[in-house]
Amino acid sequence: MKTVEQEIKLKGIPISRGIGIGSAFFFTFADDEAPDFKISMQDIDLEVSRYQLAIEKSRQEILQLQLKLKDEYIEEGVDILDTHLQIMKDPLLTTAVENEIRQTRKNALFVFQVLIKKYQKRFQSIKDPFFRERFKDIQDISRRVAGYLRESVRVGLAEIPYGSVVIAKELSASEVAEANSENIYAFITENGGVASHAAIVAKAKGIPYVSNADIGLIFEKMEDNPLIVDGRTGDIIINPTAKTLDFYKNVYKQVKGHLSKLQKESSLSTETFDGYKVKLSANLEMVNEIDHIRAQGNYGIGLFRSEYIFLSGEDFPSEEVQFEIYKKLVEKLSGLPIVIRTFDIGGDKQLKNHSSSAKGNSFLGCRALRYFLNEKEIFKSQLRAILRAANYGDVSILFPMVSTLSELLEAKELLEEATQELLKSGHEKVCKLKVGCMIEVPSAAIISDLIANECDFLSIGTNDLVQYSLAVDRGNQSLQKYYSPTHPGVIRLIKMVVSEANNHEVPVSVCGEIASDPRFIPLLLGLGVNEFSLASRHIPVIKNAIRNTSIVAATKLAEKVLTLSSSEEIMKLLTDEYRNNVPEDCFYNY
Ligand code: PEP
Ligand code: MG
């Protein structure tokens, strides 16, 4: 380890809890930007060869293109490409870049782009328009070379070296879904909101995550020292002193110890200390997380975000592929229930080949059920796959992003059509499934009495309910202060839904991220919720929160909350109450 020069503490927004101590690994950057970071001494030769390879690959690409143009008799194009090949031999693009990489120890893409910018300035000052135009050739070459350099920088998150703290401008849900949680100790990003799907997946994988960080400063100051990420507080420490490092290693141990103590209590019943029973189940994104969930205890799946089976792919999987996946999950659950939510694409979950989900503001556009009511055949193939898998266990179906009653009725009709199609094609037994509706759009919350009449259960998706009722993009951390699940408006909506569900004797659960925040548990219990579905890694903490409260206190707390008028007051009350009930929780550390 290099001698410690200067310890720097940065503050970001805590996204996923836990402590991560590891080596910085710079991941993705915006397309028009070159990452600016230092290469370690032993990797300099590798970086130079990466550059040489990018030049060679670009050269081969131009030669191929030339052959094509020759075949098509486009002589002018052939000549232009000849010029490109000449420019690429210029020492300014070869030895000069290589020397600069060695001297500055900066990454190849950054060095290359700095040089191209210098060229640009020189060409812009040339009076003769013919020569000024020649810069276009250089730009063209630059794009080609930069493309190859970026490609090799962009390894998938599955291939990140052991012990890394991954630093990126932004991470998508599918990128995090690919992440190898054995190797990645933490994430740091510049952009990314608490309730984004990337955040949800990081939590599901138990990877600490802080966003809204000044990653430029990390590039600049980072030496070959460990980087500390505190996903509980949002603290990031660059070049920590030995004392700081020891402190955090100790916190890491305490947090681990606390969680494993709670884990050992998994056989205790889930009830408040005055005996009010509560049902907990797990949210599932990546299918391979099922084994981890099974190891936690006898929890069913209260929300399977089925779109994750293909999110990093190009297209929807066939009925057969889906059936095999759902069946396997159902079998692994050995009779425990699973709620399969139909695909929720759009918003921050886009499919490469299906741009219609991304038109305009995609969170307010053709997302989830809206998209699939326009793509009935794809939708029915999912419904058939779910119906078939239901023969192997306890399966319910859940429709996301319902905003009007007619959408729910249409989805139910399509479920009936899918049933008839299966019967016609020779399936002897097709189960009648329980049908649930997500309440995540304010209009659905307001008509929850009508919705409750038409389905078997409700599931409150508070991530979107907060986004849509407060008009705040859930993925944008710069709007964080507006994204407030304790807003009195949100709490009133939840109360309304729970009351209507109870009036109609329809079970209601909360499956948004607040169900994994122990501060919200007494409030939600007090409002009448007795089912929660959440990231399985948080189940022990939530169970402990339930066991440390009473329904009498929770009811009083809810009554008090309903008299308050601001998010801040409510948050403070919930935090104080939790600190009081569970002072030893160092995982949350409020
Ligand atoms: C929600 O909106 O709260 C929810 C559970 O769905 P998702 O986070 O997948 O949008
Ligand atoms: Mg949602």
Side-chain angles (χ1 to χ4, degrees), residues 197 200 303 305 341 367 440 461-464 474 511-512:
H197 283 95
I200 287 168
L303 170 67
R305 292 178 160 104
R341 182 178 75 180
R367 180 184 168 189
E440 41 189 356
T462 49
N463 304 335
D464 279 312
R474 64 191 266 187
C511 63

Side-chain angles (χ1 to χ4, degrees), residues 161-177:
Y162 182 75
S164 299
V165 171
V166 171
I167 302 161
K169 201 157 180 78
E170 192 158 16
L171 289 169
S172 68
S174 61
E175 279 169 333
V176 182

Side-chain angles (χ1 to χ4, degrees), residues 372-580:
F372 291 99
L373 291 180
N374 284 328
E375 295 282 356
K376 293 196 174 59
E377 288 313 313
I378 302 176
F379 189 48
K380 279 198 289 177
S381 72
Q382 180 175 33
L383 299 178
R384 285 193 303 267
I386 297 173
L387 286 164
R388 287 169 60 193
N391 284 336
Y392 299 83
D394 181 352
V395 177
S396 311
I397 197 161
L398 178 62
F399 296 123
M401 202 171 159
V402 170
S403 58
T404 65
L405 188 63
S406 61
E407 286 165 335
L408 174 64
L409 297 178
E410 198 179 344
K412 280 174 62 180
E413 260 168 41
L414 290 168
L415 182 63
E416 183 51 34
E417 268 181 38
T419 304
Q420 294 310 322
E421 283 166 8
L422 285 176
L423 289 171
K424 249 191 224 149
S425 65
H427 291 267
E428 281 172 14
K429 183 178 153 216
V430 183
C431 304
K432 188 153 175 50
L433 302 192
K434 283 199 181 121
V435 172
C437 179
M438 294 229 24
I439 303 291
E440 41 189 356
V441 179
S443 61
I446 294 164
I447 58 162
S448 49
D449 55 331
L450 305 179
I451 289 184
N453 255 336
E454 287 298 335
C455 57
D456 304 302
F457 63 98
L458 302 181
S459 188
I460 309 180
T462 49
N463 304 335
D464 279 312
L465 189 61
V466 173
Q467 151 164 280
Y468 293 130
S469 52
L470 304 182
V472 192
D473 176 351
R474 64 191 266 187
N476 184 343
Q477 89 291 339
S478 66
L479 299 172
Q480 205 64 42
K481 71 171 176 176
Y482 299 107
Y483 187 89
S484 171
T486 49
H487 189 294
V490 173
I491 291 169
R492 287 180 198 195
L493 283 175
I494 297 174
K495 180 177 182 284
M496 184 187 283
V497 176
V498 177
S499 307
E500 289 305 338
N502 290 343
N503 286 344
H504 288 79
E505 294 178 5
V506 165
V508 58
S509 68
V510 170
C511 63
E513 289 311 284
I514 62 170
S516 66
D517 184 333
R519 294 173 300 178
F520 282 85
I521 297 301
L523 168 64
L524 294 169
L525 290 175
L527 290 174
V529 182
N530 64 356
E531 283 188 45
F532 302 99
S533 189
L534 56 136
S536 66
R537 283 168 214 268
H538 293 236
I539 285 182
V541 177
I542 294 305
K543 186 171 184 172
N544 191 46
I546 293 168
R547 292 182 58 81
N548 278 287
T549 192
S550 71
I551 192 67
V552 176
T555 310
K556 272 198 191 135
L557 180 78
E559 277 165 10
K560 170 93 181 125
V561 164
L562 290 167
T563 65
L564 300 178
S565 52
S566 77
S567 302
E568 293 75 19
E569 279 172 291
I570 297 174
M571 198 71 242
K572 183 170 178 327
L573 181 63
L574 300 189
T575 306
D576 290 347
E577 174 87 2
Y578 184 61
R579 272 208 202 109
N580 227 356

